[in-house]
Amino acid sequence: SSGINAEYGDRRNGLTWPTNAFQVLAITVLFLFSLAHFLVLCQYTSGAYLRILLVISIFFFVMTTGAKIICTLTDPADGGVFTGELSTYGQVKEPFDRAKRGHVITADLLCQICNVRVDRTSRHCSQCNKCVLRFDHHCDYINNCVGRRNYLYYIGLLLSSSLYSLLVMFNATFILYRISFKQREFLSELGWSRPRILGRDVDAAILVTLLIILVIMMFISFVLVINLLRLHLYLLYNGWTTWDYYCRSKEERKKHSYWKYKTREGTVQSMTIANVCQNNVLRPNNKTSPMPPHAI
C-alpha cells in the first residue's frame, strides 16, 4: 500500500469532498460557544462594560472566523503543480506503488504523482494528494494543508481563537462568581428577581451548572490552542516546520533553518518573516533555496 489517497484525485482546499469530522467539530464548537457568549453571557452585563465586551468579542469572533475561512479556502499547492505542462493537478491520480517507484519526490525534485518538479521545501501530502509549498502539516480542523500560502493566517487563527476562548472563560467565571456568592445584589443591578436564559427565568442551579460546563470547556480549548500556538512560535523562531520538528533528527534540524540560507556566492544571509510566511517562492533551480534536495 502506498498510503497515498488516489480515489478522490487531489484536494483543492478544505471544502473539497470528503469533509472531516474534526473540521465539522471545530465549526460547531466555535458557533455554539459564540452563541452562548453573545446570547446568554452578554445579557448579564450592562453599561460601558457591556459595550467594551461586545466590541472585543466581535473583534475576536471576526478574526477567528476570518482566519479559519482563509486557511480553509487557500490552495497551498506548490507553484509547479499549478503551472506545470504535464501536471496532474485536478486529475484522478494512479495509485503510487512505493515498492516499484521508491520515494514520491525524487532526489532531483520530481514528484512522481504530480508529475512536476517542485520547490525544495515542498512535500507531497498523502491526504490532499498534491505537493504543498513549504509543507508544515495537514490540519484536520481546517481539512487542509498548512503551508507557506496560509501559514501566517494559521498563526493568526491560533492567536485569535486562544484569546477568544480566554475572554469567554473570564466572562463566564465572573458571572459564575457573582451568581454563586452575590446573587441577590447581582440580579438587583440587572433589575431581575431570578436568573434568566434567553429571556426566561431559570433556577440558579441550572445557570450555575451551565456556567461551570462552559468554563471547563473554554479552559480546555484555551490550553490546547495556546500550547499549539507556543509550539508554532517556537518553530517559527527556529525556522522549522512541523514536518522538520517531527521527522528530522535534532542534528538535521540545526542545519535546516528558514531564517538562514546560502547564496550562490556561499555566504549566509538572513531571511525575514515575510520571506517565510508569504508567497516568494524559491524554485528548485534557484540555489539559494534554504532546503537541500529531499525525498519522501
Side-chain angles (χ1 to χ4, degrees), residues 11 14 16-21 23-24 143:
R11 301 176 54 83
T16 304
W17 190 261
T19 187
N20 186 290
Q23 179 188 28
V24 176
N143 201 25

Side-chain angles (χ1 to χ4, degrees), residues 4 11 24 29 37 66-67 96 102-104 133 157 173 188 211 218 222 259 272 280 293:
I4 302 297
R11 301 176 54 83
V24 176
V29 168
H37 177 63
F96 184 81
H103 295 292
V104 175
L133 179 63
L157 172 62
T173 303
S188 178
L211 288 173
M218 287 295 96
F222 173 75
W259 294 119
T272 64
N280 54 339

Side-chain angles (χ1 to χ4, degrees), residues 69-296:
I69 290 174
I70 294 175
C71 286
T72 302
L73 295 181
T74 299
D75 189 338
D78 180 279
V81 174
F82 296 126
T83 60
E85 293 183 2
L86 301 178
S87 174
T88 58
Y89 186 63
Q91 305 173 20
V92 176
K93 277 87 166 174
E94 295 182 2
F96 184 81
D97 189 347
R98 290 186 187 273
K100 295 181 179 179
R101 304 173 68 180
H103 295 292
V104 175
I105 299 178
T106 63
D108 60 350
L109 303 177
L110 172 66
C111 176
Q112 300 185 77
I113 297 179
C114 296
N115 202 29
V116 295
R117 296 193 182 276
V118 296
D119 187 80
R120 298 173 187 266
T121 66
S122 296
R123 302 285 184 273
H124 191 96
C125 174
S126 60
Q127 296 187 57
C128 292
N129 206 14
K130 65 185 177 186
C131 286
V132 174
L133 179 63
R134 205 179 82 87
F135 177 79
D136 189 89
H137 71 286
H138 184 92
C139 178
D140 287 334
Y141 293 98
I142 61 173
N143 201 25
N144 199 10
C145 278
V146 177
R148 177 174 286 179
R149 302 184 192 280
N150 59 358
Y151 187 73
L152 185 62
Y153 298 104
Y154 181 73
I155 294 293
L157 172 62
L158 296 179
L159 178 61
S160 59
S161 58
S162 61
L163 293 176
Y164 190 32
S165 299
L166 189 64
L167 175 68
V168 176
M169 183 179 67
F170 273 129
N171 192 33
T173 303
F174 174 72
I175 296 172
L176 177 62
Y177 167 76
R178 299 208 66 184
I179 285 291
S180 301
F181 300 102
K182 300 182 179 182
Q183 182 179 143
R184 182 174 298 179
E185 177 186 347
F186 185 36
L187 295 178
S188 178
E189 293 174 1
L190 297 171
W192 300 344
S193 58
R194 299 187 63 189
R196 293 182 181 179
I197 296 179
L198 299 178
R200 295 185 177 184
D201 292 347
V202 296
D203 189 79
I206 296 178
L207 179 61
V208 168
T209 301
L210 293 176
L211 288 173
I212 291 175
I213 294 174
L214 182 60
V215 169
I216 292 174
M217 295 298 293
M218 287 295 96
F219 177 76
I220 294 174
S221 174
F222 173 75
V223 170
L224 292 176
V225 176
I226 201 66
N227 275 283
L228 188 56
L229 176 62
R230 180 179 61 84
L231 170 63
H232 278 278
L233 292 178
Y234 171 75
L235 296 178
L236 188 60
Y237 174 79
N238 287 283
W240 301 328
T241 64
T242 301
W243 187 92
D244 292 325
Y245 186 72
Y246 286 104
C247 298
R248 293 188 187 276
S249 66
K250 183 180 295 186
E251 290 71 23
E252 287 180 318
R253 289 201 301 268
K254 292 179 180 178
K255 300 176 184 177
H256 304 298
S257 172
Y258 288 101
W259 294 119
K260 294 184 178 180
Y261 64 96
K262 289 185 178 180
T263 66
R264 290 173 178 170
E265 292 74 24
T267 59
V268 175
Q269 293 186 359
S270 296
M271 300 182 75
T272 64
I273 291 181
N275 294 128
V276 176
C277 295
Q278 302 300 326
N279 299 338
N280 54 339
V281 181
L282 297 172
R283 300 308 309 151
N285 60 355
N286 185 348
K287 296 182 180 179
T288 64
S289 178
M291 295 288 286
H294 65 275
I296 62 172

